[in-house]
Amino acid sequence: MIMDPKTLAGRFPGDFVFGVATAAFQIEGATKTDGRKPSIWDAFSNMPGRVFGRHNGDLACDHYNRLEEDLDLIQSLGVEAYRFSIAWPRIIPEGTGPVNERGLDFYDRLVDGLKARGIKAFATLYHWDLPLMLAGDGGWTARQTAYAFQRYAKTVIARLGDRLDAVATFNEPWCSVWLSHLYGIHAPGERNMDAALHALHFTNLAHGLGVAAIRSERPSLPVGLVLNAHSIHAGSDDAADQAAAARAFDFHNGVFFGPVFKGEYPASFLSALGHRMPAMEPGDMETISQKLDWWGLNYYTPMRVSNDPVEGAEFPATVPAPPVVDVKTDIGWEVFAPALGDLIRKLNADYTLPDCYITENGACHNMGIEDGVIDDQPRLDYIADHLGITADLIGEGYPMRGYFAWSLMDNFEWAEALAGQFPKGNHRTT
Ligand code: FCB
């Protein structure tokens, strides 16, 4: 599709924020520098068979050492905002215990560098790099990790809060809960429903405790949460597949949106799995459901599901359904922009949501350099299509406030290894 950039730009209000996004572990490198200690991702990458090609984040994009030139890069793009994450293992390297001032100094320089260039700072506190020491006590399956997160959040905001434009507690808890504790694809690589259910509640709790900690330090700082809500589509019109899609919605979206925006877990989920959840303490759901100033949607691809015909299959009892279009990115993700619109409409119908930023969207295409240029057309088409849908949503009255392209630069793509290195196919789903 050819889209005139000026026509597209004209569909956005003047205060709509355009930005680019990254995450600490994917770009920083310098994993042993200035007091940083290992995270669960350092350990996971060191285990054979976990990350493609056994790559790790030791060097990544060397952003830690190239900070100034990377900030110049952002500025040269002409964007107004930069979304980055802060590495907990640099700030409180053992998870609990001493605060590492040199870690905070790095983010001080980062935030000051953004301010000096007139770029807004959108920080994420947790983008999956849990200090490894906490894994010894159960990691996210342990309630005390939520309190460790609360202290970390308070520490960061006390130092940086005066210069941040927005902060998110978590990036994509779906990944750090289900993908990491049930599907075994991300660190710590668990495949265990009981572990995952514990990680679910304690992550939600940590989010709520984090919100309170941030507000106690800096009441005026806009606080949000970034969710990779799934646009779920039934594989057919059959009642069984429609019911499967409803269960999948509760399992993949409802267990985060429900507690945070309604103060409750979805009923279908609770009746199937509630007895295996950790004990809740009085006040947990109130803590989790504090009103947010904004939320972030990371959207890449739809999720298609059918009913799992196996008798007694565990909730949500679904199997993947085939894509409806065969356009895929090099990471194997179906390209289907209308699903973004469906998703925002459905979520706003089901929940009372605050302002929304698309905090990640983009396409993985491993084009090489030919004659000094990269053919970026498929990526440009992808971004234009998704921006077009975003503009439609603004036209319909949804409070879409910004869009961040993923990513600022090619990086360490988790289990898929360093960008450009992984083979086609065989990938995690979102
Ligand atoms: C999202 C993650 C981000 C990156 C993109 C491709 O799930 O938040 O770190 O992996 O996908």
Side-chain angles (χ1 to χ4, degrees):
M1 188 189 77
I2 312 282
M3 163 101 63
D4 168 41
K6 283 219 170 85
T7 310
L8 183 57
R11 300 188 61 202
F12 289 89
D15 58 356
F16 188 87
V17 175
F18 285 98
V20 288
T22 61
F25 192 76
Q26 295 182 272
I27 64 164
E28 286 180 358
T31 52
K32 299 182 178 71
T33 307
D34 289 341
R36 183 189 183 278
K37 290 204 172 163
S39 72
I40 55 173
W41 267 96
D42 296 88
F44 194 69
S45 325
N46 284 334
M47 291 175 196
R50 299 302 207 164
V51 173
F52 176 78
R54 219 171 156 180
H55 292 184
N56 59 41
D58 286 0
L59 182 60
C61 305
D62 201 23
H63 172 69
Y64 194 85
N65 294 310
R66 297 175 185 227
L67 179 61
E68 290 298 323
E69 59 187 283
D70 288 348
L71 292 175
D72 288 344
L73 250 176
I74 300 170
Q75 190 178 33
S76 74
L77 291 171
V79 293
E80 305 156 55
Y82 176 50
R83 173 176 178 251
F84 59 97
S85 82
I86 293 168
W88 186 350
R90 292 197 192 281
I91 309 299
I92 305 180
E94 293 169 5
T96 57
V99 172
N100 177 34
E101 293 299 327
R102 286 175 300 168
L104 285 164
D105 292 345
F106 172 71
Y107 296 102
D108 246 347
R109 294 199 298 279
L110 168 52
V111 172
D112 286 346
L114 290 172
K115 299 285 104 170
R117 290 166 179 82
I119 298 165
K120 292 193 166 88
F122 278 59
T124 302
L125 293 176
Y126 188 75
H127 201 125
W128 311 345
D129 41 2
L130 185 74
L132 182 60
M133 289 284 278
L134 292 177
D137 293 323
W140 284 114
T141 70
R143 189 174 173 100
Q144 63 262 35
T145 297
Y147 297 107
F149 177 79
Q150 179 182 30
R151 173 169 173 255
Y152 157 65
K154 204 170 161 56
T155 307
V156 169
I157 300 307
R159 179 74 173 266
L160 304 175
D162 58 334
R163 283 152 295 147
L164 296 179
D165 294 278
V167 64
T169 52
F170 280 76
N171 175 73
E172 301 192 358
W174 182 92
C175 286
S176 53
V177 172
W178 298 143
L179 195 64
S180 303
H181 292 85
L182 183 61
Y183 305 136
I185 311 279
H186 277 188
E190 275 283 354
R191 290 176 197 269
N192 182 311
M193 182 60 94
D194 294 292
L197 292 168
H198 283 65
L200 169 67
H201 186 63
F202 297 137
T203 298
N204 282 334
L205 178 64
H207 157 75
L209 292 170
V211 171
I214 293 162
R215 292 212 168 119
S216 72
E217 284 299 326
R218 200 87 204 157
S220 59
L221 176 60
V223 186
L225 169 65
V226 171
L227 294 157
N228 57 326
H230 289 75
S231 184
I232 295 173
H233 301 258
S236 81
D237 289 337
D238 290 356
D241 289 341
Q242 297 289 326
R247 292 194 303 274
F249 186 90
D250 286 348
F251 188 76
H252 298 291
N253 298 329
V255 298
F256 304 105
F257 281 84
V260 171
F261 296 111
K262 273 190 179 162
E264 62 193 28
Y265 285 97
S268 71
F269 165 81
L270 278 183
S271 69
L273 294 167
H275 61 290
R276 291 163 70 182
M277 297 277 286
M280 312 225 174
E281 293 190 6
D284 278 7
M285 297 314 286
E286 288 74 20
T287 300
I288 296 169
S289 59
Q290 289 162 89
K291 213 165 173 354
L292 296 181
D293 300 301
W294 63 277
W295 75 285
L297 170 65
N298 291 354
Y299 174 80
Y300 291 96
T301 187
M303 176 187 268
R304 301 188 188 278
V305 298
S306 298
N307 181 47
D308 185 343
V310 173
E311 180 114 11
E314 190 166 65
F315 190 86
T318 60
V319 288
V324 300
V325 290
D326 40 0
V327 186
K328 292 208 176 74
T329 68
D330 286 349
I331 209 167
W333 292 355
E334 178 187 352
V335 176
F336 189 63
L340 168 60
D342 297 344
L343 179 60
I344 289 290
R345 290 182 200 103
K346 159 104 176 120
L347 290 169
N348 278 279
D350 286 8
Y351 306 98
T352 305
L353 299 175
D355 285 356
C356 178
Y357 291 81
I358 294 184
T359 32
E360 286 182 29
N361 177 247
C364 167
H365 289 291
N366 293 329
M367 302 321 192
I369 304 174
E370 271 175 46
D371 299 330
V373 288
I374 294 176
D375 170 16
D376 240 354
Q377 199 55 47
R379 195 188 326 274
L380 293 172
D381 288 346
Y382 181 100
I383 291 178
D385 285 350
H386 289 79
L387 280 175
I389 298 281
T390 308
D392 293 345
L393 291 165
I394 296 172
E396 291 166 36
Y398 292 101
M400 312 302 292
R401 302 289 181 232
Y403 175 100
F404 291 77
W406 185 273
S407 174
L408 168 65
M409 51 189 148
D410 289 351
N411 56 44
F412 175 84
E413 184 43 44
W414 309 111
E416 323 284 349
L418 294 163
Q421 312 272 325
F422 43 82
K424 291 195 177 190
N426 182 36
H427 300 295
R428 71 166 161 119
T429 51
T430 46

